[in-house]
Amino acid sequence: MIYNIPYIAVAALVLLGLYALVFKRNLIKMVIGITLIESGVNLFLITLGYRTGSIAPIYTSSPGGIMSFPVPQALTLTSIVIGVAVLALMLSLVIHIYRHYGSLDVREIRRLKE
Amino acid sequence: MSIPDYIIPLVVALPLLGAFLTPLISRVNDKLRNIFVILILGVNMALILLLASNILTEGIMIYVFGAQNLNLPLVRILFEVDAMSIFMAIISSILAFVAVLYSWAFMKENTGLDKYYTLILLMTAGMLGMELTGDMFNFFVFLEILSIASCALIAFWTHKGESVEAAFKYITISAIGALFVLFAVALLYGQYNALNIATLANLIQYNFLDKIALALLIVALAMKAGIVPLHMWLPDSYGSAPSSVSIILVGATQASLYGVFRVCFTLYGSSLSTITRQLDLFGRSLTLYMNSILGLIIILLAIITIIIGVLMALIQIDFKRLIAYAAVAEIGYMFLGIGTGIAALGTTYGRTALEGGIFHIINDALDVGLLFLVAGAIYYATREFSLNRMGGLARNMKITAVFFIIGLLAVAGMPPMNGFASKLLIYESTYQLSPILAIIAILCSILLLAVFVKVFYSAFMGPAIPKFKDVKEVPKSMLFAMGIIASIIVIFGIFPEIVLNNLVEPAASALIGYENYIAQVIGGI
């Protein structure tokens, strides 16, 4: 049971993020929702590589024993960097939207609705 | 003739390098920068054609990063290029090349063009990377590069609220889609300890977690390809972006479409003919195969996509939104061909449908691309997107009017143009699966013709409007860009069998023959 806690956390984070995306009306909260999903996915990747009692995979100064698997960590790093880029882009768009529409409410940002 | 395998990474590296050199060159001279970007994409297109000729004669090519050849354990990133990948790469490179030619005059009055060209090159690198890679995580990375670059380009006209709004929609959809892809990659990686598409396809067992991964991948990529329940971002983005960007966005959605193919046919290729369920219906036992279920779902979505795309196109008054809805309908035709191909896997007409669907990808890119360029040309000349305020433009813009007629006939699938060749293949094969599908497809094509005839009349015909008395024909670079696409359309329309035999047929074989794709990597170890 104790080993399943990270996976439960992953599911909780992703579902929370999806909830924020679908039901929240504020653009900033939607951005937060996407960040939550991203954290969930990153946590999932990290958890996949972890083995009980393992140490960080640094080969040159290893005290022995098992190491956690390095590939998911490399994937997570890449994913974090990409996530920062997406987050920055989204927030800059939110700033522009606020300048044009004077609001962050999705119900008022619908000039393209037809 | 055999070419060295380092051409493969060069195809992606060249636009990437060019992207970061562009701002530097832009400081020297604007004209020099334009020539530089056109040169980069021109050379890239030549390299891709060279690669294509080699692959079509000698089969799949592989490039492994950081190693001389393949060895165990396979932790390296590798690019695996088969006929389908190179087919998509040709489309992307043509679209990108035409777009920069067109931008020369079209974007002249804008500021910040160094960033504009940088982002266009990044988009090209992203598209080509997605199409050539043989690694799932690499696919995700290029997907994100593509999304970020295209989102920034959609919002390029930041002085318009609509552009920024459309860009926000696009990045939201893309970010969720990409995270779904990453989640699916993690699910597959956790089970099989591999990221390589060929290795994964070899090991895949089609258990419960694999089904979840399949659903996530298909949903995410179909969302980015703009299939109907998830198409709402597409008309907004296509309609609000500059025309030269819209044409590359067509290529971007098709790169996601390629992802759907790769996942269905290669990654889950061995599971396609698996029996999923034995049903006992009213005393008759019914065996359900994975391919018929998946195929029927795709066909259903495709039919809805076609109908909604055409009906929404009918009521639009904004020129570019109208074309965007027509593009949605065209995506439906591709999925119809592919869906029929999956549902009738192994039969002759299933293969014809698959070929029709694949052929329609390149035709759609050219037809819809040409229409977007014409819409951009009209905007350039008149500063007008609304069809209600246009009229009589054929008097002043004769050549553009001719290009529009070519695009119109091609998109509606009329005989002398390329759209007819691929749509005919789709009609005749879907008819054998179910006549109703073919009837709906033909009816919607006719409606599409009606839509565009209406547009032609309201934009180009009718009495001369005094406001447009001094409208001139657009500059030569734009005419040249439109001319390239229009001539390819006519050539493909007159000699469809050349493309069918040399490009489409190998691509269809590459999709169906997933064993070759796997053996090329696994056998090499």
Side-chain angles (χ1 to χ4, degrees):
Chain A
M1 179 62 209
I2 191 91
Y3 301 111
N4 284 332
I5 286 179
Y7 296 110
I8 296 168
V10 168
L13 278 171
V14 171
L15 291 179
L16 211 62
L18 284 177
Y19 169 80
L21 263 175
V22 177
F23 292 105
K24 289 294 166 191
R25 307 242 177 245
N26 189 310
L27 288 184
I28 301 270
K29 286 181 183 165
M30 288 171 70
V31 175
I32 294 175
I34 289 181
T35 324
L36 280 176
I37 301 178
E38 194 203 322
S39 316
V41 176
N42 286 343
L43 182 64
F44 184 54
L45 273 167
I46 283 290
T47 316
L48 285 177
Y50 184 73
R51 296 290 170 269
T52 321
S54 61
I55 55 163
I58 305 168
Y59 285 95
T60 44
S61 59
S62 164
I66 53 168
M67 290 177 181
S68 57
F69 202 48
V71 176
Q73 301 189 1
L75 303 189
T76 313
L77 263 180
T78 317
S79 154
I80 288 172
V81 173
I82 292 172
V84 170
V86 172
L87 182 63
L89 191 58
M90 292 185 85
L91 288 177
S92 67
L93 288 176
V94 170
I95 294 172
H96 274 292
I97 287 179
Y98 189 76
R99 278 194 194 139
H100 285 293
Y101 293 80
S103 164
L104 287 180
D105 191 326
V106 283
R107 282 166 295 189
E108 287 168 35
I109 305 166
R110 53 196 324 169
R111 279 186 209 164
L112 286 169
K113 198 80 180 175
E114 257 171 87
Chain B
M1 180 191 67
S2 185
I3 55 165
D5 60 353
Y6 54 74
I7 300 277
I8 302 172
L10 205 58
V11 163
V12 181
L14 201 63
L16 209 57
L17 185 74
F20 295 109
L21 281 178
T22 309
L24 281 177
I25 294 176
S26 193
R27 297 194 76 94
V28 182
N29 189 332
D30 280 359
K31 221 167 226 169
L32 189 68
R33 174 202 57 209
N34 293 358
I35 294 172
F36 173 74
V37 175
I38 290 174
L39 204 67
I40 287 262
L41 287 173
V43 170
N44 210 34
M45 191 157 75
L47 284 181
I48 286 175
L49 291 177
L50 189 69
L51 201 60
S53 72
N54 194 53
I55 283 167
L56 293 175
T57 50
E58 300 189 6
I60 302 173
M61 282 177 78
I62 289 182
Y63 181 84
V64 189
F65 282 85
Q68 291 284 323
N69 36 27
L70 288 170
N71 47 3
L72 275 172
L74 197 61
V75 287
R76 301 198 183 277
I77 293 173
L78 62 82
F79 275 14
E80 182 165 7
V81 190
D82 64 1
M84 184 68 203
S85 319
I86 204 71
F87 175 73
M88 298 300 297
I90 291 173
I91 300 174
S92 308
S93 65
I94 291 177
L95 290 180
F97 182 70
V98 168
V100 289
L101 272 185
Y102 188 82
S103 306
W104 188 311
F106 185 68
M107 299 300 285
K108 210 173 180 178
E109 292 150 22
N110 294 274
T111 53
L113 283 183
D114 47 343
K115 296 160 196 98
Y116 171 83
Y117 281 110
T118 306
L119 288 167
I120 281 199
L121 285 174
L122 273 180
M123 255 181 103
T124 318
M127 280 191 288
L128 293 174
M130 273 172 80
E131 285 152 6
L132 301 187
T133 189
D135 185 282
M136 279 313 277
F137 188 72
N138 213 236
F139 182 82
F140 160 77
V141 172
F142 281 118
L143 183 72
E144 284 281 25
I145 293 177
L146 177 62
S147 319
I148 291 172
S150 15
C151 167
L153 279 176
I154 292 169
F156 190 73
W157 284 339
T158 39
H159 59 278
K160 290 184 177 175
E162 289 88 351
S163 303
V164 187
E165 185 188 336
F168 190 81
K169 273 186 196 169
Y170 182 79
I171 193 74
T172 312
I173 292 288
S174 303
I176 302 167
L179 287 171
F180 277 11
V181 170
L182 184 60
F183 200 84
V185 171
L187 279 174
L188 293 174
Y189 181 72
Q191 291 184 80
Y192 303 115
N193 195 20
L195 287 169
N196 187 281
I197 294 178
T199 319
L200 278 173
N202 189 37
L203 294 172
I204 217 147
Q205 318 208 313
Y206 199 57
N207 56 23
F208 180 63
L209 283 179
D210 290 345
K211 284 179 195 165
I212 295 180
L214 176 66
L216 284 172
L217 283 170
I218 299 267
V219 167
L221 293 170
M223 182 154 77
K224 289 218 63 193
I227 198 151
V228 140
L230 304 160
H231 72 292
M232 67 292 175
W233 63 271
L234 197 144
D236 295 353
S237 323
Y238 280 24
S240 313
S243 286
S244 48
V245 174
S246 303
I247 180 171
I248 315 186
L249 276 175
V250 175
T253 42
Q254 292 185 342
S256 306
L257 192 71
Y258 163 80
V260 177
F261 293 165
R262 207 29 108 205
V263 167
C264 285
F265 284 98
T266 307
L267 197 54
Y268 288 83
S270 56
S271 320
L272 269 183
S273 47
T274 317
I275 297 170
T276 51
R277 190 156 296 166
Q278 295 275 4
L279 280 185
D280 202 36
L281 277 180
F282 312 114
R284 285 194 310 176
S285 78
L286 196 68
T287 317
L288 286 181
Y289 289 95
M290 153 87 173
N291 64 339
S292 44
I293 298 173
L294 191 64
L296 286 179
I297 293 173
I298 293 179
I299 289 173
L300 190 69
L301 288 178
I303 289 291
I304 300 172
T305 309
I306 295 173
I307 294 174
I308 289 189
V310 171
L311 291 185
M312 290 300 288
L314 267 174
I315 58 170
Q316 299 300 319
I317 48 166
D318 182 310
F319 201 162
K320 285 188 72 189
R321 273 181 83 84
L322 186 145
I323 301 169
Y325 274 110
V328 172
E330 294 288 293
I331 292 167
Y333 280 101
M334 287 173 231
F335 268 95
L336 184 62
I338 304 307
T340 313
I342 295 180
L345 202 69
T347 57
T348 336
Y349 71 90
R351 184 165 167 113
T352 314
L354 194 61
E355 278 170 16
I358 293 171
F359 193 16
H360 202 63
I361 297 175
I362 192 164
N363 292 341
D364 161 68
L366 297 169
D367 306 348
V368 175
L370 180 61
L371 289 176
F372 273 127
L373 293 188
V374 170
I378 291 175
Y379 176 74
Y380 183 88
T382 64
R383 302 284 142 192
E384 202 61 78
F385 272 138
S386 169
L387 289 170
N388 291 346
R389 290 194 288 271
M390 289 177 195
L393 288 174
R395 284 183 181 77
N396 300 332
M397 304 172 72
K398 294 192 179 60
I399 308 177
T400 312
V402 171
F403 287 144
F404 187 77
I405 293 177
I406 294 176
L408 171 162
L409 292 176
V411 119
M414 287 293 120
M417 302 302 166
N418 61 353
F420 173 72
S422 54
K423 278 189 177 171
L424 189 68
L425 288 177
I426 296 176
Y427 299 150
E428 72 169 70
S429 53
T430 46
Y431 186 83
Q432 294 184 49
L433 189 73
S434 160
I436 296 171
L437 296 178
I439 291 167
I440 294 175
I442 294 173
L443 268 180
C444 287
S445 252
I446 296 167
L447 273 178
L448 215 51
L449 183 67
V451 170
F452 280 106
V453 167
K454 181 195 88 178
V455 173
F456 182 72
Y457 189 80
S458 60
F460 290 100
M461 295 292 168
I465 293 178
K467 197 172 70 171
F468 299 141
K469 208 172 65 191
D470 304 325
V471 165
K472 279 195 268 306
E473 186 60 273
V474 292
K476 287 206 179 57
S477 93
M478 289 162 76
L479 286 181
F480 184 56
M482 288 190 275
I484 292 179
I485 297 201
S487 50
I488 301 178
I489 287 178
V490 174
I491 292 170
F492 278 15
I494 299 174
F495 309 106
E497 70 277 7
I498 295 178
V499 194
L500 264 175
N501 294 340
N502 293 323
L503 280 173
V504 176
E505 186 107 341
S509 309
L511 271 187
I512 294 175
Y514 64 92
E515 293 97 347
N516 285 337
Y517 192 87
I518 297 172
Q520 204 68 27
V521 170
I522 305 296
I525 291 173

